[in-house]
Amino acid sequence: MEGAQENPAESGSSVPCSEEPAGSARVPEVSLSEESEGCTRPLEAAPQKLCGYLSKFGGKGPIRGWKSRWFFFDERKCHLYYSRTAQDANPLDSIDLSSAVFDCKADAEEGTFEIKTPNRIITLKAATKQVMLYWLQQLQMKRWEFHNSLPAPPAAPDAALAGNGPALRPELEQEEEEQEAFLCPVKTPTELVGVAAAWQPVHAKPSALQNISLKHLGTEIQNTVCNIRGSKQTPGAGHRPPGADSPLSEEAQRGEQASPPGPGAPGKDPANSLKPTPKSSLTTSLIQKAKSQSNTFPLFSEGLMRNRTAQEKVLALEQQVLMLTKELKAQKELVKILHKALEAAQQEKRASGAYLAAARDKDRLELVRHKVRQIAELGRRVEALERERESLAQTASLREQETQELQRQVQLLLDKNQARQQVICKLSEKVTQDFMKAPEEADRDFLGRQEEMEHLKDDMEAYRTQNRFLNSEIHQVTKIWRKVAEKEKALLMKCAYLQAQNCRVESKYLAGLRRLQEALGVETGECSELLRQLIQEALQWEASEASAESVVLGPSTVSEYDEYGFLTAPSYEVEDLRLLAKIQALEVHSRQLLAHEAVQRPLRERWAALGELAPSAELKQLLRAGVPHEHRPRVWRWLIRLRVQHLQAPGCYQELLSRGQACKHPAARQIELDLNRTFPNNKHFTCPTSGFPDKLRRVLLAFSWQNPTIGYCQGLNRLAAIALLVLDEEESAFWCLVAIVETIMPADYYSKTLLASQVDQRVLQDLLLEKLPRLTAHLGQRRVDLSFITFNWFLVVFADSLISNILLQVWDAFLYEGIKVVFRYALAIFKYNEEALLRLQDSLEIYQYLHLFTKTICDSRRLMHIAFNDMNPFPMKQLRQLRAAHRERLEAELNELEQLKAEYLETRAAQGPLAPEGCPSEDEGDAEP
């Protein structure tokens, strides 16, 4: 069954080489000179259609092999179709070339190349190398024309994102020039490619059974039926008779057989073949010398054998002498032992004679005792000798082992010596044979080496051709990939723009519903009921729809929570406020989508290229523009370390936690009360299974022990919570809280009197009068005190006021520049909503609007521009002077208040606890029973 040949990591040598029939005409290879000439002359006009016969490798089992197929290219779909013959009505299959790459291996069979698609690898073979290169170049050009002919997707409606510009023809000409820079154009083989190739005989045509495609059997049957019907309807036309070309082919074969071999065949051309040269005098003398010495080399080898036998005999005699010497020593030892035994027997005989000669028993007893002593002495000597024998036996075993090892080494050396002698003999024989060789063999060897060198040159040229083609392929695929990436980027920008427009339309729809609701008021009727139903449908959150949108549109859909866990649309109980929150969330998402490509991407690139952080004007501008989500934890840690490096000590935080576990702090009860009131709109502090409340508790308790003068103040919980959400580490959040309270904010900012906080409220009033005089006059006429609203802004740095993305952008600049950033943004918020505030005339409406208007700010770029550009000049010297003046006045007012309080207490103490007349005393009921 026919199928694509999968070659995941195989070379071209794995493809079985089919033998060519004897009658097939072989086109000579394109030599290097022909290719170089093709570079200079212009490329011939290609046929109108790219088609022709190629061999395709496929099939399974016994019919696996090369199959002849008719290939033709469809320019509309960029597909390469193939069928069994050119006259078939239906193609067997097609190859998608839009995403394919081409490859040719130098070590593969001649004319073999591969087309690699994402799904399979197709191995094809052309009749000659020239036809293969022509097909590869044409397929490359067709693929490039197809990709350039695709219509570019319309980008965002901005003028900067309009069409690309250059036409197709200049790009094609440029592509042809770049192609020629890599690979020279190949001459068009007109007889083997094009419509005319359909009537040419197929090269290396396989058998009918092998050429049929069992995988596409239905298509084969349909094509066969169509061909039979066509031949019946138009006899004499259609297919050319098989024997019509046989005389021509036979004549061509005869002519080819009769023609002399080509100049490229090595050893065939008499002009180019190497003739045996006449023998020189030096060669003759060497041969004669070799013949004269031919009888000496065998004698030399026999002499070596004779020497080797004599050496062995000497070694054997030396070993025999050593054995005899050892035997002689043993005999001497035996003689000594026999002498000692004889002496002992003689002494025993003398002792027995003395015993028998003794007249008295006492003398005999003394002799016996003497013998006993001798026996004991001999026993001790025997034991000592036994021990000595054992030690000698051990020494002898060790010596025996050493002797065996030395014998093995000697045997090894003997074997090596023998092997070397054999090698010397073989080399001597080889030298003799080399001298005896005839000069013709040397010439044949030289011819073989020269032929091998020619083959290597051909292989090197083939590898060069393959390298040039692969370079052109890589270059073209890279250009196609860049164009696809640009199109994808344009589509993403268009998608973001459409999503932003959708959010705006939905926001306007919700705003229209709200205005209709305000217009209808409390009226009842069919319209009000329909309006209420539409508002309920717009406000409800469908999780299934959100998940489906996230699958279709990707990560840019409106989610319920942002990356830090804050609700994108806060949940209010009042329907009107819920509608406003929904409108606000849609507006924020719309602006984020529009600013993603224009602002966020360049900003991320600048932060990624920043490298090591160091104080500079560039870093100041980047911090004002906002830190990207992925870089914010690293930047904040660096800013905190810059502030508290003189306060940090290793293990300080753990020591404070240990102190808090050992002793309960007085502020622990107030901390527990404030934990449940920290950010009710954040899932990390409302989820029962979250660990953030426990982390926040430990951070606040550690700070209460770190700064006993403050201990704990309401508002510190929100500062520490923001630090925890960004840094996600207790110790880093603790030092962030220390940096804000002890280094950034002025002293007494979080004390019991909140003296510095009150001073900043008065400074803000002066700055509002200077920067926004109309708004200040408008609010003063209606007696609106802004400190009720702005006091919390300064105390928690807008933690409860702004939406999360603008809030963290404020904190980015605040941690670097200090309290001045809070003044700038406070003024910018009023400037942002100045017109809306001026339209309100009632003080109650103004207070209601002031409680909610910070949540309606969604344009962070406009707010930042107002804060850092419209509020200029904003010198720090002026801020210090205003603070000093208001602090002096406030301290005087507080001192006066303290004096009044002291006078009042003195007056009450002087009057005593006297009750008015007629009032019953508390002690009157004590005397009653």
Side-chain angles (χ1 to χ4, degrees):
M1 184 176 295
E2 182 180 351
Q5 175 67 19
E6 301 293 338
N7 298 329
E10 299 176 2
S11 64
S13 59
S14 62
V15 181
C17 299
S18 60
E19 297 180 357
E20 295 184 358
S24 62
R26 181 176 181 84
V27 179
E29 289 185 60
V30 180
S31 62
L32 181 62
S33 60
E34 291 177 355
E35 290 183 6
S36 61
E37 290 174 3
C39 294
T40 58
R41 61 175 177 263
L43 186 65
E44 295 183 7
Q48 187 177 3
K49 294 290 184 180
L50 178 61
C51 54
Y53 277 105
L54 293 173
S55 297
K56 178 179 177 295
F57 190 81
K60 293 184 179 178
I63 61 172
R64 181 181 178 86
W66 295 103
K67 301 178 185 295
S68 176
R69 293 288 181 262
W70 173 259
F71 286 83
F72 56 95
F73 180 76
D74 187 358
E75 297 182 354
R76 295 176 301 171
K77 298 182 179 179
C78 195
H79 278 217
L80 186 65
Y81 292 90
Y82 61 89
S83 58
R84 189 157 57 91
T85 63
Q87 290 76 22
D88 289 345
N90 300 318
L92 297 177
D93 202 354
S94 65
I95 305 170
D96 185 6
L97 299 183
S98 60
S99 57
V101 294
F102 313 112
D103 186 17
C104 65
K105 292 181 172 58
D107 54 351
E109 190 177 355
E110 180 185 359
T112 304
F113 62 98
E114 293 179 349
I115 300 177
K116 299 180 181 180
T117 66
N119 300 325
R120 56 178 179 165
I121 299 177
I122 300 93
T123 304
L124 304 176
K125 184 172 70 172
T128 62
K129 179 181 177 182
Q130 181 184 6
V131 177
M132 176 196 73
L133 293 176
Y134 175 79
W135 272 95
L136 287 173
Q137 284 188 345
Q138 290 299 319
L139 291 176
Q140 278 187 338
M141 293 302 298
K142 298 295 184 183
R143 181 185 59 187
W144 178 251
E145 291 174 3
F146 174 76
H147 280 284
N148 278 336
S149 62
L150 290 178
D158 297 340
L161 300 175
N164 293 329
L168 177 61
R169 179 53 54 190
E171 289 187 0
L172 292 179
E173 293 177 357
Q174 181 182 0
E175 176 63 20
E176 290 180 359
E177 294 177 359
E178 293 176 353
Q179 188 78 8
E180 292 179 7
F182 290 102
L183 189 65
C184 300
V186 181
K187 183 180 178 181
T188 305
T190 54
E191 296 181 356
L192 299 177
V193 178
V195 180
W199 305 106
Q200 299 295 329
V202 182
H203 292 264
K205 183 175 181 181
S207 62
L209 179 60
Q210 187 179 3
N211 200 33
I212 197 169
S213 175
L214 297 180
K215 182 178 180 181
H216 310 90
L217 190 58
T219 307
E220 289 277 7
I221 295 173
Q222 291 178 5
N223 292 333
T224 305
V225 172
C226 291
N227 291 338
I228 292 173
R229 288 178 180 176
S231 62
K232 287 182 179 181
Q233 291 174 3
T234 59
H239 299 284
R240 183 176 297 182
D245 294 329
S246 58
L248 295 175
S249 62
E250 291 177 2
E251 292 177 4
Q253 292 174 9
R254 293 196 204 97
E256 185 179 359
Q257 292 175 2
S259 62
K268 299 298 181 180
D269 191 359
N272 295 332
S273 62
L274 295 174
K275 297 181 180 180
T277 58
K279 300 177 182 179
S280 63
S281 58
L282 178 61
T283 308
T284 307
S285 62
L286 288 175
I287 293 172
Q288 292 175 358
K289 185 177 180 181
K291 288 182 179 180
S292 63
Q293 294 178 356
S294 60
N295 295 326
T296 61
F297 283 98
L299 295 175
F300 178 70
S301 59
E302 290 177 4
L304 290 176
M305 294 293 291
R306 204 176 293 120
N307 293 337
R308 184 175 60 184
T309 307
Q311 289 179 359
E312 290 180 354
K313 288 181 180 180
V314 169
L315 290 174
L317 291 173
E318 288 178 355
Q319 291 178 359
Q320 189 175 1
V321 169
L322 290 174
M323 291 173 62
L324 291 174
T325 305
K326 289 180 181 179
E327 186 177 356
L328 179 61
K329 288 182 180 179
Q331 293 295 332
K332 288 181 179 181
E333 292 291 335
L334 181 60
V335 169
K336 289 180 181 179
I337 292 171
L338 290 175
H339 277 296
K340 289 180 181 180
L342 181 60
E343 289 177 359
Q346 290 176 356
Q347 289 179 2
E348 183 70 24
K349 182 179 178 181
R350 286 194 296 271
S352 298
Y355 179 76
L356 293 175
R360 294 182 299 176
D361 293 338
K362 184 177 180 181
D363 295 335
R364 292 182 178 178
L365 182 61
E366 185 64 29
L367 289 173
V368 170
R369 287 177 181 172
H370 180 69
K371 288 296 180 183
V372 169
R373 286 195 294 274
Q374 286 182 351
I375 290 170
E377 181 66 24
L378 290 173
R380 288 192 294 272
R381 290 177 62 186
V382 167
E383 292 177 357
L385 291 172
E386 185 67 26
R387 288 194 297 272
E388 185 179 0
R389 187 188 65 80
E390 291 177 356
S391 64
L392 290 175
Q394 292 178 359
T395 305
S397 63
L398 293 175
R399 295 291 174 84
E400 184 67 24
Q401 293 177 0
E402 292 178 359
T403 303
Q404 292 177 358
E405 182 67 26
L406 291 174
Q407 288 178 355
R408 284 196 295 271
Q409 292 180 3
V410 169
Q411 186 64 33
L412 183 61
L413 292 173
L414 289 174
D415 294 341
K416 287 183 178 179
N417 189 19
Q418 185 178 359
R420 288 176 181 174
Q421 289 178 359
Q422 292 177 359
V423 170
I424 290 172
C425 292
K426 290 180 180 179
L427 291 174
S428 301
E429 293 175 359
K430 188 176 180 181
V431 169
T432 305
Q433 293 175 2
D434 290 341
F435 274 111
M436 294 298 294
K437 276 185 179 180
E440 290 79 5
E441 295 182 1
D443 293 340
R444 286 197 297 270
D445 188 17
F446 177 74
L447 290 174
R449 295 294 179 87
Q450 189 176 12
E451 186 177 357
E452 184 180 358
M453 187 179 298
E454 293 295 333
H455 287 314
L456 291 176
K457 288 181 179 180
D458 294 340
D459 293 342
M460 184 173 64
E461 183 61 31
Y463 279 117
R464 285 177 181 172
T465 305
Q466 179 190 11
N467 187 27
R468 289 195 294 268
F469 169 73
L470 291 179
N471 287 338
S472 65
E473 178 71 9
I474 293 170
H475 175 70
Q476 191 179 91
V477 170
T478 304
K479 292 179 67 176
I480 292 173
W481 176 80
R482 287 175 180 171
K483 288 180 69 67
V484 171
E486 291 176 359
K487 292 176 183 178
E488 183 182 4
K489 182 179 178 181
L491 286 174
L492 289 176
M493 292 180 65
K494 181 181 178 182
C495 182
Y497 177 79
L498 292 177
Q499 287 181 8
Q501 290 295 106
N502 183 35
C503 291
R504 286 186 175 181
V505 169
E506 189 175 354
S507 174
K508 291 178 180 179
Y509 169 70
L510 294 177
L513 291 179
R514 182 171 177 271
R515 291 179 182 177
L516 285 174
Q517 186 182 23
E518 291 176 354
L520 291 177
V522 294
E523 296 180 5
T524 58
E526 184 177 355
C527 294
S528 61
E529 186 65 26
L530 178 61
L531 181 62
R532 190 177 298 105
Q533 183 180 358
L534 291 175
I535 292 174
Q536 290 296 331
E537 291 177 356
L539 290 177
Q540 65 185 358
W541 178 265
E542 294 292 343
S544 60
E545 293 180 4
S547 62
E549 289 178 1
S550 64
V551 170
V552 176
L553 299 178
S556 60
T557 55
V558 182
S559 58
E560 187 177 1
Y561 295 95
D562 62 6
E563 59 267 20
Y564 294 102
F566 289 100
L567 281 170
T568 55
S571 58
Y572 297 105
E573 295 181 359
V574 181
E575 187 176 282
D576 193 17
L577 295 180
R578 290 170 59 195
L579 194 60
L580 282 175
K582 184 78 173 181
I583 295 171
Q584 177 69 15
L586 291 171
E587 286 290 334
V588 171
H589 187 63
S590 172
R591 293 185 180 277
Q592 287 177 351
L593 288 173
L594 290 176
H596 179 71
E597 292 294 332
V599 180
Q600 295 300 325
R601 186 185 296 274
L603 186 62
R604 281 187 170 86
E605 292 176 356
R606 290 181 65 187
W607 274 105
L610 189 59
E612 187 177 356
L613 298 176
S616 62
E618 181 185 5
L619 179 63
K620 184 177 181 180
Q621 295 299 324
L622 287 174
L623 289 171
R624 288 180 175 183
V627 183
H629 172 67
E630 61 270 16
H631 297 285
R632 183 167 281 132
R634 175 177 66 93
V635 175
W636 278 28
R637 289 189 183 94
W638 179 80
L639 293 173
I640 293 166
R641 186 168 59 253
L642 205 63
R643 294 278 185 179
V644 297
Q645 57 186 352
H646 62 286
L647 300 175
Q648 280 183 328
C652 177
Y653 178 69
Q654 299 298 330
E655 182 181 351
L656 294 173
L657 289 180
S658 303
R659 189 187 304 178
Q661 292 175 357
C663 180
K664 186 177 182 181
H665 196 276
R669 183 173 177 274
Q670 186 61 41
I671 291 173
E672 289 294 332
L673 292 175
D674 287 348
L675 284 178
N676 297 326
R677 294 181 286 192
T678 304
F679 292 139
N681 61 338
N682 191 289
K683 65 179 180 180
H684 296 299
F685 292 98
T686 56
C687 181
T689 59
S690 175
F692 275 83
D694 295 333
K695 294 181 181 179
L696 181 60
R697 180 189 297 109
R698 289 191 289 269
V699 170
L700 294 176
L701 286 174
F703 180 79
S704 64
W705 288 106
Q706 161 76 13
N707 194 333
T709 58
I710 296 176
Y712 175 74
C713 176
Q714 287 186 350
L716 297 181
N717 58 327
R718 281 164 283 186
L719 296 176
I722 292 292
L724 271 175
L725 289 173
V726 174
L727 301 172
D728 200 23
E729 292 180 1
E730 292 182 34
E731 188 170 358
S732 299
F734 165 76
W735 289 112
C736 181
L737 184 61
V738 171
I740 293 173
V741 176
E742 298 186 8
T743 64
I744 298 178
M745 293 299 193
D748 299 332
Y749 217 86
Y750 297 96
S751 63
K752 294 181 179 180
T753 59
L754 301 175
L755 179 63
S757 301
Q758 298 182 51
V759 169
D760 281 350
Q761 295 307 306
R762 298 189 179 189
V763 172
L764 180 63
Q765 292 290 337
D766 291 349
L767 293 174
L768 278 171
L769 182 60
E770 177 187 350
K771 304 291 183 182
L772 303 171
R774 291 176 55 220
L775 181 61
T776 306
H778 177 75
L779 297 176
Q781 291 176 359
R782 283 140 189 89
R783 297 183 179 180
V784 176
D785 188 0
L786 294 178
S787 61
F788 291 112
I789 307 298
T790 58
F791 189 83
N792 192 52
W793 293 0
F794 282 72
L795 200 64
V796 298
V797 195
F798 303 103
D800 285 333
S801 305
L802 298 172
I803 58 178
S804 60
N805 62 329
I806 300 179
L807 170 66
L808 295 175
Q809 184 176 346
V810 173
W811 275 58
D812 294 337
F814 165 72
L815 291 175
Y816 185 72
E817 299 184 47
I819 189 65
K820 187 171 68 170
V821 174
V822 182
F823 282 99
R824 283 183 175 273
Y825 271 100
L827 295 172
I829 289 171
F830 285 109
K831 180 66 176 177
Y832 190 97
N833 297 276
E834 182 180 14
E835 298 300 328
L837 285 170
L838 291 174
R839 286 195 295 268
L840 299 176
Q841 301 298 327
D842 185 49
S843 59
L844 182 59
E845 291 181 353
I846 293 174
Y847 276 115
Q848 290 178 350
Y849 183 75
L850 289 175
H851 277 92
L852 297 174
F853 81 121
T854 53
K855 293 289 185 179
T856 63
I857 299 174
C858 57
D859 192 350
S860 60
R861 295 184 62 193
R862 180 188 169 197
L863 185 65
M864 181 195 70
H865 186 271
I866 294 173
F868 294 106
N869 292 283
D870 295 352
M871 293 297 110
N872 288 334
F874 201 91
M876 193 65 190
K877 181 179 179 180
Q878 179 189 7
L879 187 62
R880 293 194 188 97
Q881 292 175 353
L882 291 174
R883 273 181 168 173
H886 285 291
R887 186 181 185 89
E888 185 178 355
R889 295 193 197 100
L890 186 59
E891 287 177 350
E893 292 175 2
L894 290 176
N895 291 334
E896 184 179 356
L897 185 61
E898 289 293 331
Q899 291 178 1
L900 292 174
K901 183 179 178 181
E903 291 175 1
Y904 171 75
L905 292 175
E906 290 177 0
T907 305
R908 289 296 304 271
Q911 291 177 357
L914 298 176
E917 294 182 2
C919 292
S921 175
E922 295 179 358
D923 299 332
E924 289 181 358
D926 295 343
E928 296 181 0

